[in-house]
Amino acid sequence: MKETKNADQTPEKAMTKYDLKVQRRKEEKERARKSRRRDNIIGIVVVAALLCLVASFPIRNYLTVHGSYVKVNGENVSRVEFDYQYNMAVNNYLSQYGYYLYMMGIDPNSDFTSQMYSDTLTWGDYFQQLAVENMIRNKSLAAKAKEEGFVHDTEEEYGRYMKSVEDAASESGSTVNNYVKQLYGPYATESRVKPYVEEALYVAGYYDELSQRNT
């Protein structure tokens, strides 16, 4: 039987070297276009991630300063307040017993969390406990004083306190802000620790009032 061809069927065109070259160029351009698009997408994602990371710095700093760090008697305590109370506990202890620490071989200038207070506690743990105990006592006294309607103007006392800080910072060749950080921790500023200093002055005034009553 004689073989017949379909009239509608177009015979395949033989590929010349020129045609192959053109096709390869088209394929290379397409691959380059896809690669650029992929790189652009990756670049956008990386930039967005960096922007989110940078934008999160103020948020994380705000949460560190104002968010709850620990709970004391069911009350939220920020990192700034805890660091303030911790450093106050350390400084008060050193002012009273610093000599004995040296006698026991404790270095007050080194990290307290690496020096043992007992078999199970470091000096860092001990000062944290003191800080918590001080917070419980001070907040209880402050609440009792307010309940009794006790009034104590701390403005003048706070002014003297800030004058002493300014003088100490000047003598050490430091700024007030840096000196406050040295005293109370890396997140401390004058404005951030002011409420805790004023609370301490208020409680001290109430304690004096109680002492006079007892006398």
Side-chain angles (χ1 to χ4, degrees), residues 152-169 176 179 183-184 190 194 197-198 200-202 204-205 208:
H152 181 69
D153 187 4
T154 61
E155 183 177 356
E156 184 178 346
E157 291 176 310
Y158 184 79
R160 290 198 298 268
Y161 157 79
M162 278 309 305
K163 181 64 168 60
S164 66
V165 171
E166 291 168 0
D167 291 344
V176 170
Y179 190 74
L183 285 177
Y184 305 124
E190 178 190 345
K194 183 178 180 180
V197 175
E198 289 179 328
L201 295 173
Y202 177 76
D208 289 342

Side-chain angles (χ1 to χ4, degrees), residues 48-65:
L50 289 174
L51 288 174
C52 290
L53 182 61
V54 172
S56 71
F57 287 159
I59 297 174
R60 285 185 292 171
N61 188 64
Y62 179 87
L63 292 175
T64 300
V65 172

Side-chain angles (χ1 to χ4, degrees), residues 11 27 54 83 96 108 119 126 132 139 145 166 197 207 214:
E27 291 173 351
V54 172
D83 285 352
Q96 296 182 63
D119 292 338
Y126 175 71
V132 171
K139 290 182 183 298
E166 291 168 0
V197 175
Y207 186 80
N214 292 332

Side-chain angles (χ1 to χ4, degrees), residues 105-172:
I106 305 301
D107 184 2
N109 298 317
S110 297
D111 184 8
F112 285 115
T113 61
S114 62
Q115 303 181 75
M116 298 306 296
Y117 172 79
S118 67
D119 292 338
T120 57
L121 294 178
T122 65
W123 278 95
D125 297 328
Y126 175 71
F127 289 130
Q128 286 183 359
Q129 290 183 357
L130 284 184
V132 171
E133 291 171 4
N134 291 340
M135 275 190 281
I136 292 174
R137 182 185 65 252
N138 290 349
K139 290 182 183 298
S140 297
L141 285 172
K144 183 175 175 58
K146 291 175 182 178
E147 184 180 338
E148 291 182 2
F150 175 73
V151 177
H152 181 69
D153 187 4
T154 61
E155 183 177 356
E156 184 178 346
E157 291 176 310
Y158 184 79
R160 290 198 298 268
Y161 157 79
M162 278 309 305
K163 181 64 168 60
S164 66
V165 171
E166 291 168 0
D167 291 344
S170 178
E171 290 176 5
S172 64

Side-chain angles (χ1 to χ4, degrees), residues 99-111:
Y99 175 77
Y100 297 104
L101 290 183
Y102 280 112
M103 294 291 291
M104 292 186 292
I106 305 301
D107 184 2
N109 298 317
S110 297
D111 184 8

